[in-house]
Amino acid sequence: MDNSTPPRGTLLLDRKAIASLLTLEDCIEAVEAAFRAHALGETLTPGLLHIEAPDGEFHIKAGGMRMPVPYFGLKANAGFFQNTARFGLPNIQGLILLYSAENGYPLAVMDSGGITMQRTGAATAVAAKYLAKRDSSVVSICGCGKQGHVQLRALTKVLPIERVNAYSIDYEEADRFAHEMSEELNVEVKHVHDLGPAISESDICISCTPSTEPYIQQSFVRPGTFLAAVGADSPGKHELDPHLLAANKVVVDLLEQCVSVGELHHAVELGLMTAQDVHGELGDVVAGKVSGRSHDAEIVVFDSTGTALQDTAAAILAYERAIGSLQGQLLDFSAS
């Protein structure tokens, strides 16, 4: 659509509206297109600001699309990982602001929760599509919260997943995950207590926890495995043994961002790698500018810190669909 003549007012979209406007398949398609666009120079330069708070953290991610219609998106998310237990609030909360990048008009204010959840799983699906073995059927999911659910759903959209190992330090959470996802996806999902043997039999390993200590060791991983490190999106988070990255092919969502806050950050800080040792960004793989998996025995690590490209791509789709279907509430912040 042409956003140079936007509707009068800024569209307000809550989480329920977002859920009605976007499917996981939509997000996978939009995220893949966004990574490709970035590799082809069709995006605004993304940026990241991370701020520590006494009991949590804030991050601000911003970027935009040049084509076919210019948009700018900014997401401000708060991560307070004791919220559910202490206050009954979500651990991650935030907003996305969407603007016209042609005239600066504020087009929409959106709840970020649903978009963040879906686009994170979508990025893993896109990475797996290009970097995992095509016949991958066994996956270990480390972290069985809401993101673990989305990660598994997304994987089943691109690969023939048949068997799932569910691991969590919260045994009840892992039990619920195994029960719910086996019924929903009609695949075998079992709660595992010993992570090493589970990963060693897997084609894919997804880590999506807020851990600050690495718990996935190099010795766990067999040849041919694809690992998506999703949890580390701030400097203090850490899930993978840094030697695992240093010894294998690493693909990142955004190189500069991963050097600062991803699993790559820890390997670089220890002197095990430099930015030049990274194989490439996911967008370059999607666009065919660099190779993906080179052989079936190769171990490939995807360092996924979450990008403004993903947020903006999903927000654009939600906004355009909302305008087309007359959803959401229009607010005029400039009214006197």
Side-chain angles (χ1 to χ4, degrees):
M1 67 177 290
D2 178 8
N3 69 5
S4 62
T5 55
R8 293 187 61 180
T10 302
L11 192 65
L12 180 64
L13 294 173
D14 61 18
R15 186 169 297 199
K16 184 177 179 180
I18 296 292
S20 73
L21 293 164
L22 294 178
T23 68
L24 186 52
E25 290 88 346
D26 292 330
C27 286
I28 293 171
E29 184 177 340
V31 165
E32 182 172 2
F35 277 118
R36 181 182 294 108
H38 184 63
L40 298 177
E42 296 172 354
T43 61
L44 305 179
T45 303
L48 168 68
L49 177 64
H50 181 84
I51 299 171
E52 293 288 337
D55 293 315
E57 61 186 2
F58 295 88
H59 65 246
I60 298 169
K61 293 176 178 176
M65 301 293 165
R66 297 181 185 275
M67 300 286 288
V69 175
Y71 286 97
F72 168 79
L74 180 149
K75 182 176 79 173
N77 258 19
F80 286 70
F81 293 97
Q82 302 302 316
N83 263 6
T84 300
R86 292 173 62 188
F87 307 115
L89 292 171
N91 289 339
I92 299 175
Q93 305 171 91
L95 296 173
I96 293 175
L97 307 181
L98 187 68
Y99 294 80
S100 164
E102 193 167 60
N103 56 34
Y105 192 95
L107 299 170
V109 178
M110 307 181 190
D111 174 78
S112 71
I115 285 178
T116 299
M117 196 74 63
Q118 299 265 63
R119 64 74 154 154
T120 305
T124 297
V126 173
K129 175 180 173 181
Y130 288 90
L131 300 172
K133 294 182 297 182
R134 298 309 307 152
D135 61 351
S136 295
S137 61
V138 181
V139 58
S140 286
I141 301 285
C142 306
C144 297
K146 292 181 180 178
Q147 187 54 236
H149 288 72
V150 175
Q151 290 287 320
L152 182 54
R153 290 186 191 111
L155 276 180
T156 63
K157 305 296 183 184
V158 296
L159 290 170
I161 303 302
E162 297 177 354
R163 190 154 52 89
V164 181
N165 297 318
Y167 175 82
S168 174
I169 59 173
D170 183 336
Y171 285 4
E172 290 184 3
E173 181 179 71
D175 283 338
R176 286 195 303 271
F177 179 93
H179 175 71
E180 293 168 0
M181 298 309 283
S182 61
E183 285 200 348
E184 177 183 332
L185 301 174
N186 195 29
V187 297
E188 179 188 351
V189 185
K190 64 178 181 179
H191 174 193
V192 296
H193 297 264
D194 195 346
L195 188 57
I199 294 177
S200 69
E201 68 172 19
S202 298
D203 303 303
I204 296 174
C205 175
I206 310 295
S207 61
C208 49
T209 75
S211 176
T212 58
E213 294 291 338
Y215 58 87
I216 297 177
Q217 305 301 320
Q218 186 175 7
S219 60
F220 295 172
V221 182
R222 70 178 181 182
T225 304
F226 167 70
L227 299 101
V230 177
D233 59 359
S234 64
K237 294 182 183 177
H238 197 182
E239 297 185 292
L240 272 59
D241 175 0
H243 293 87
L244 187 53
L245 280 76
N248 297 292
K249 177 180 282 185
V250 176
V251 174
V252 298
D253 51 15
L254 290 178
L255 181 58
E256 183 177 354
Q257 192 166 293
C258 288
V259 168
S260 299
V261 300
E263 291 294 338
L264 178 62
H265 158 74
H266 299 289
V268 170
E269 194 173 57
L270 290 172
L272 300 175
M273 295 179 69
T274 68
Q276 288 69 41
D277 295 320
V278 172
H279 180 69
E281 293 186 338
L282 180 58
D284 292 327
V285 177
V286 173
K289 296 176 71 173
V290 302
S291 62
R293 171 176 290 275
S294 58
H295 54 81
D296 279 353
E298 186 174 42
I299 295 171
V300 184
V301 179
F302 174 51
D303 194 3
S304 177
T305 54
T307 75
L309 301 172
Q310 299 159 246
D311 296 314
T312 304
I316 291 168
L317 186 56
Y319 170 74
E320 293 186 346
R321 286 186 173 175
I323 291 296
S325 60
L326 302 178
Q327 294 194 54
Q329 178 184 359
L330 279 174
L331 305 175
D332 187 355
F333 291 107
S334 63
S336 57

